[in-house]
């Protein structure tokens, strides 16, 4: 791949793609923003061009590229084959047990066409919903693109979710078809999947068929007339299908995210605006060259990162990607670095929690592998600690490559805030500035923009193409959840806190409900966590505020120590950490308690579940653990703190 600019020097302009995409000086008015997005949309194939870039007359419900018609799957697959790129690899697929597949764009087109024909044979028509619960196997991509090709909104449910979680999503969407597999590989074992989906569909009358991919070759329960094997139905279909163009606002997918009420929110994304922004951001943020780069986003397809930056954005840009089924520790802790070396990965996009896990394992691990192909690193999921940023760059990036720290959400659909590589000096831990075409501000309680050096609430004050079009079936909840807080100003409230530094760059502080109030002082959990991780003994940290009768809230920290740091007296280590935080932030931020733990409770997407840690800190029984990547972690934490052995049931 071509050399990438070092992000540290201020000299030099942005890379060619970013420079071409960036607004011209003064392009900050609404008309300029719309002209910018119009130019990005022109990078796609449209059957019918739009008549209006944005219709915001029914705010907060947007209509982008009004009157335009396109087919998302055609843009992601067929047009590349027709342009002569059929032999280019779309995916290097790596199964957890070590099995592999190489899928070219021509292969991808054939498989998507077969899958689309199979769905048509089941009587599905545009507008019908399809639920998908699959492991990270190629059929997951085939199924998503086949749905997009036919105008069937898909609802992808993460493979580790419980039957109850799957059932609630099927019922809310009214899905007619469920696509699943017999099982999935997790940490070297074949785990059941079909048996769980049967439990979910037992009381889901909308499901007419269950299409099952054979992955683990394990015996599964079977309902004749309803259940169908993928290889029997799909593999026998014709490999040609003529796609139909759909309106730019045709629903593309519903992706459910947890809600504060316990009832999941079905985030609705549509076609034209979503594909425009995911394709643009993927090109610009990663400075991507489709002819030379090998790109790997380590997320799961069941999350928005997988939708936008494994499937739709990369394929729209004719990217060669790695698709990996397994966990980072199977069969050994160097698996990710082994995959990077094997395929010559040049762009690596992962979560801060995994980076901190690598830190815990030690710098000697990546040093065993040839990572010289890496030319760009990305971070996603939550704010990255400056110390983790520096470690990532030094030990994965060879102390020579840019890191793009990206902020966005399921609801935004695409990256909103990130540094364009080479465009400005990097700031470890800062997402820095909104991307061209995006407008974001940090505001106070009244919605007024705060000054430099001040903190507040992160809002988006202008509509954007990939924005959610509502919550499926619940307009009132959409308005109340995202628009009510600053309704008088028309701001979308992201739910995150942020601050401007003295240069006006943005630093994310995490969810506003992760801000602690200690003796009247508002302290971000992210700030304390960053201070802890900056200590050489700490590999990872999570901080929560626990109720305290004196101070309102007391700071409780859970830390994972680096190898060798546990050799001394634990009380001495925690005392040193408390003083370190006091020096880094101030005495008010000194944790009341620091608890050394073996692991932290994380979701499958890598986010720390601080709600569960708050339960521990306040001596409550831990709440729902079904979304954890490893539910046994909570038993280990509780056992370590109480001295009782963990449960084995």
């Amino acid at each position: 791949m071509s050399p990438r600019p070092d992000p540290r020097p201020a000299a030099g302009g942005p890379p060619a793609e970013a420079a071409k995409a960036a607004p011209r000086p003064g392009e900050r008015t609404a008309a300029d923003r719309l002209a910018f997005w119009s130019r990005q949309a022109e990078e796609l194939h449209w059957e019918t061009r739009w008549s209006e870039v944005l219709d915001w007359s029914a705010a907060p419900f947007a209509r982008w590229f009004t009157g335009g018609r396109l087919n998302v799957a055609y843009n992601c697959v067929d047009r590349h084959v027709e342009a002569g790129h059929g032999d280019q690899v779309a995916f290097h697929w790596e199964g957890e047990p070590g099995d592999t597949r190489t899928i070219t764009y021509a292969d991808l087109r054939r498989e998507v066409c077969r899958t689309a024909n199979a769905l048509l044979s089941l009587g599905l028509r545009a507008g019908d919903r399809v639920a998908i619960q699959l492991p990270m196997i190629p059929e997951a991509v085939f199924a998503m693109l086949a749905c997009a090709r036919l105008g069937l909104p898909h609802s992808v449910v993460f493979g580790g979710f419980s039957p109850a979680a799957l059932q609630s999503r099927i019922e809310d969407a009214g899905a007619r078809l469920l696509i699943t597999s017999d099982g999935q590989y997790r940490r070297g074992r074949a785990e059941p999947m079909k048996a769980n989906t049967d439990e979910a569909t037992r009381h889901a009358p909308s499901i007419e068929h269950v299409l099952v991919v054979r992955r683990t070759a394990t015996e599964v329960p079977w309902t004749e007339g309803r259940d169908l094997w993928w290889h029997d139905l799909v593999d026998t279909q014709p490999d040609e299908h003529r796609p139909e163009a759909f309106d730019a606002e045709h629903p593309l997918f519903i992706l459910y995210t947890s809600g504060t009420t316990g009832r999941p929110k079905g985030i609705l994304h549509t076609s034209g605006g979503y594909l425009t922004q995911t394709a643009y951001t993927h090109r610009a943020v990663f400075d991507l060259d489709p002819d030379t780069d090998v790109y790997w986003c380590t997320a799961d397809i069941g999350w928005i990162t997988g939708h936008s930056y494994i499937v739709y954005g990369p394929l729209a840009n004719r990217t060669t990607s790695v698709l990996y089924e397994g966990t980072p520790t199977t069969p050994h802790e160097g698996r990710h670095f082994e995959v990077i070396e094997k395929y010559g990965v040049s762009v690596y996009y992962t979560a801060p929690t995994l980076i901190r896990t690598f830190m815990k394992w030690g710098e000697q691990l990546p040093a065993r592998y040839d990572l010289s192909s890496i030319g760009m690193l990305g971070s996603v999921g939550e704010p990255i600690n400056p110390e983790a940023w520096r470690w990532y760059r030094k030990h994965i990036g060879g102390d020579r490559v840019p890191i793009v720290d990206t902020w966005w959400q399921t609801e935004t659909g695409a990256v909103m805030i990130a540094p364009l590589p080479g465009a400005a000096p990097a700031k470890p831990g800062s997402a820095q500035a909104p991307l061209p075409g995006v407008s974001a501000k940090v505001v106070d309680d009244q919605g007024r923009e705060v000054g430099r050096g001040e903190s507040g609430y992160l809002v988006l004050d202008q509509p954007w193409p990939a924005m959610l079009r509502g919550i499926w079936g619940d307009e009132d909840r959409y308005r109340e959840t995202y628009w009510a807080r600053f309704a008088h100003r028309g701001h979308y409230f992201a739910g995150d806190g942020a601050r401007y530094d003295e240069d006006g760059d943005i630093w994310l502080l995490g969810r506003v409900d992760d801000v602690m109030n200690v003796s009247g002082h508002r302290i971000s959990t992210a700030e304390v966590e960053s201070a802890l991780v900056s200590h050489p003994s700490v590999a990872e940290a999570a901080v929560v505020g626990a109720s305290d009768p004196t101070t309102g809230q007391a700071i409780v920290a859970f830390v994972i120590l680096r190898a060798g740091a546990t050799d001394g007296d634990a009380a001495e280590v925690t005392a040193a950490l408390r003083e370190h935080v006091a020096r880094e932030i101030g005495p008010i931020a000194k944790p009341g308690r620091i608890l050394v733990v073996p692991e932290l409770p994380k979701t499958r997407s890598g986010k720390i579940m601080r709600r569960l840690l708050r339960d521990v800190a306040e001596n409550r029984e831990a709440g729902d653990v079904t979304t954890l990547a490893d539910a046994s972690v909570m038993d280990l934490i509780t056992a370590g703190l109480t001295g009782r052995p963990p449960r084995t049931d």
Side-chain angles (χ1 to χ4, degrees):
M1 58 175 289
S2 58
R4 296 183 186 275
D6 189 306
R8 291 174 295 183
E17 182 58 51
K20 181 180 77 172
R24 296 183 299 275
E27 231 179 39
R28 292 294 181 267
T29 67
D32 291 332
R33 254 191 311 276
L34 297 185
F36 170 81
W37 286 119
S38 182
R39 293 196 300 275
Q40 303 317 312
E42 288 167 357
E43 297 290 324
L44 302 176
H45 174 274
W46 294 79
E47 191 72 23
T48 304
R49 185 181 169 83
W50 56 93
S51 57
E52 184 179 14
V53 177
L54 170 66
D55 178 357
W56 192 228
S57 61
F61 294 90
R63 294 183 61 84
W64 282 85
F65 307 113
T66 307
R69 297 180 67 83
L70 79 171
N71 186 282
V72 169
Y74 178 87
N75 273 281
C76 291
V77 185
D78 302 62
R79 66 173 176 144
H80 306 317
V81 177
E82 292 172 4
H85 299 289
D87 292 336
Q88 179 178 334
V89 174
F91 289 105
H92 296 291
W93 177 73
E94 183 89 8
E96 186 180 272
D99 47 339
T100 63
R101 290 174 67 179
T102 300
I103 301 162
T104 66
Y105 274 91
D107 296 332
L108 185 60
R109 184 184 181 280
R110 284 190 289 270
E111 295 294 346
V112 171
C113 287
R114 288 192 183 107
T115 308
N117 286 324
L119 300 189
L120 287 174
S121 76
L122 298 178
L124 295 167
R125 296 296 180 265
D128 291 337
R129 275 80 65 201
V130 174
I132 301 170
Q133 188 177 47
L134 285 169
M136 289 285 287
I137 56 178
E139 286 80 5
V141 178
F142 304 160
M144 292 171 71
L145 290 170
C147 288
R149 193 177 192 88
L150 299 175
L152 307 171
H154 58 66
S155 171
V156 181
V157 181
F158 174 68
F161 272 0
S162 68
L166 174 61
Q167 179 183 335
S168 68
R169 287 153 173 78
I170 289 172
E171 289 177 341
D172 192 72
R176 291 182 60 190
L177 171 69
L178 170 64
I179 303 176
T180 188
S181 66
D182 56 352
Q184 60 180 327
Y185 289 104
R186 288 295 285 184
R187 296 183 174 86
R189 297 190 306 270
E191 302 283 358
M193 183 170 275
K194 173 65 162 58
N196 293 336
T197 60
D198 276 2
E199 184 179 339
T201 55
R202 186 172 295 120
H203 303 293
S206 65
I207 292 293
E208 299 169 4
H209 291 98
V210 178
L211 185 56
V212 187
V213 178
R214 179 174 285 161
R215 173 62 185 134
T216 59
T218 52
E219 289 191 18
V220 294
W222 203 256
T223 302
E224 290 296 334
R226 184 197 69 172
D227 297 348
L228 303 161
W229 283 113
W230 179 285
H231 56 269
D232 287 339
L233 180 66
V234 177
D235 292 354
T236 58
Q237 296 291 331
D239 60 10
E240 292 289 335
H241 173 267
R242 184 179 179 86
E244 173 189 351
F246 295 98
D247 188 87
E249 285 298 320
H250 187 84
L252 179 61
F253 63 85
I254 307 164
L255 186 57
Y256 287 86
T257 184
S258 299
T260 55
T261 64
R263 185 165 56 93
K265 305 189 295 285
I267 304 303
L268 175 64
H269 283 288
T270 55
S271 301
Y274 171 81
L275 192 63
T276 293
Q277 191 170 348
T278 53
Y280 157 67
T281 51
H282 182 253
R283 283 193 310 273
V285 170
F286 298 108
D287 188 22
L288 193 100
D289 185 338
D291 294 318
T292 59
D293 277 317
V294 177
Y295 164 86
W296 185 13
C297 171
T298 69
D300 191 282
I301 285 176
W303 309 109
I304 187 63
T305 307
H307 283 56
S308 298
Y309 297 108
I310 292 178
V311 181
Y312 293 112
L315 291 176
N317 290 330
R318 186 172 52 83
T319 304
T320 295
S321 296
V322 169
L323 185 67
Y324 176 56
E325 177 185 31
T327 56
T329 56
T330 306
H332 54 80
E333 292 175 346
R335 186 68 185 273
H336 269 225
F337 309 126
E338 184 179 74
V339 170
I340 291 170
E341 180 180 271
K342 178 178 180 178
Y343 295 108
V345 171
S346 54
V347 181
Y348 181 69
Y349 189 35
T350 197
T353 50
L354 183 57
I355 297 165
R356 292 191 291 267
T357 298
F358 292 154
M359 293 172 66
K360 179 180 67 174
W361 293 342
E363 61 198 52
Q364 73 282 353
L365 186 63
R368 296 174 193 162
Y369 298 88
D370 180 2
L371 306 182
S372 60
S373 62
I374 293 287
M376 174 76 67
L377 296 170
S379 171
V380 61
E382 62 180 359
I384 184 171
N385 309 96
E387 185 67 20
W389 190 103
R390 295 185 184 97
W391 191 97
Y392 190 31
R393 187 177 194 273
K394 180 176 180 180
H395 297 291
I396 311 299
D399 211 17
R400 58 180 173 79
V401 307
I403 295 179
V404 287
D405 178 12
T406 62
W407 177 86
W408 58 297
Q409 302 175 311
T410 301
E411 292 86 348
T412 69
V415 174
M416 303 293 283
I417 303 174
L420 289 174
K427 293 183 178 179
S430 172
Q432 293 192 248
L435 292 176
V438 173
S439 184
K441 293 179 179 178
V442 182
V443 302
D444 62 16
D445 287 313
Q446 284 71 48
R448 297 177 301 233
E449 188 170 15
V450 302
R452 295 189 176 191
E454 296 182 2
S455 301
Y457 304 97
L458 181 65
V459 299
L460 302 170
D461 64 323
Q462 297 294 334
W464 63 99
M467 66 190 298
L468 75 166
R469 297 305 197 265
I471 294 174
W472 182 258
D474 199 337
E475 290 189 6
D476 291 341
R477 191 181 185 191
Y478 168 65
R479 293 177 187 273
E480 177 62 29
T481 301
Y482 301 108
W483 302 91
R485 183 159 193 162
F486 298 106
H488 61 296
R489 293 188 180 270
H491 292 167
Y492 167 94
F493 177 46
D496 282 342
R499 68 176 173 85
Y500 289 130
D501 65 15
E502 296 303 326
D503 299 322
D505 283 336
I506 293 173
W507 294 72
L508 274 300
L509 301 177
R511 306 294 295 174
V512 292
D513 53 9
D514 287 334
V515 173
M516 302 167 290
N517 194 326
V518 181
S519 299
H521 298 269
R522 290 173 58 81
I523 301 171
S524 163
T525 59
E527 289 180 293
V528 183
E529 289 166 1
S530 289
L532 286 165
V533 173
S534 70
H535 191 279
S537 297
V538 178
E540 189 163 10
V543 170
V544 298
S547 297
D548 185 273
T550 303
T551 61
Q553 283 187 305
I555 300 173
V556 180
F558 297 77
V559 300
I560 300 173
L561 299 181
R562 297 197 192 194
T566 55
D567 295 344
D569 180 76
E572 291 182 6
V573 173
T574 55
L577 292 177
R578 294 181 74 240
E579 293 306 317
H580 177 72
V581 172
R583 287 193 301 271
E584 291 288 308
I585 303 176
I588 191 66
K590 184 188 294 187
R593 281 190 292 163
I594 297 180
L595 308 173
V596 178
V597 294
E599 293 291 343
L600 293 170
K602 299 173 186 174
T603 67
R604 276 90 172 185
S605 63
K607 292 187 177 181
I608 297 169
M609 294 213 45
R610 292 174 180 81
R611 166 179 60 81
L612 297 177
L613 294 176
R614 198 172 293 113
D615 290 341
V616 173
E618 296 182 344
N619 300 311
R620 292 191 300 270
E621 183 174 348
D624 181 21
V625 298
T626 57
T627 59
L628 289 181
D630 183 357
S632 67
V633 166
M634 290 308 298
D635 289 334
L636 290 173
I637 291 174
T638 303
L641 299 181
T642 63
R644 295 193 300 267
R647 296 179 303 176
T648 58
D649 57 334

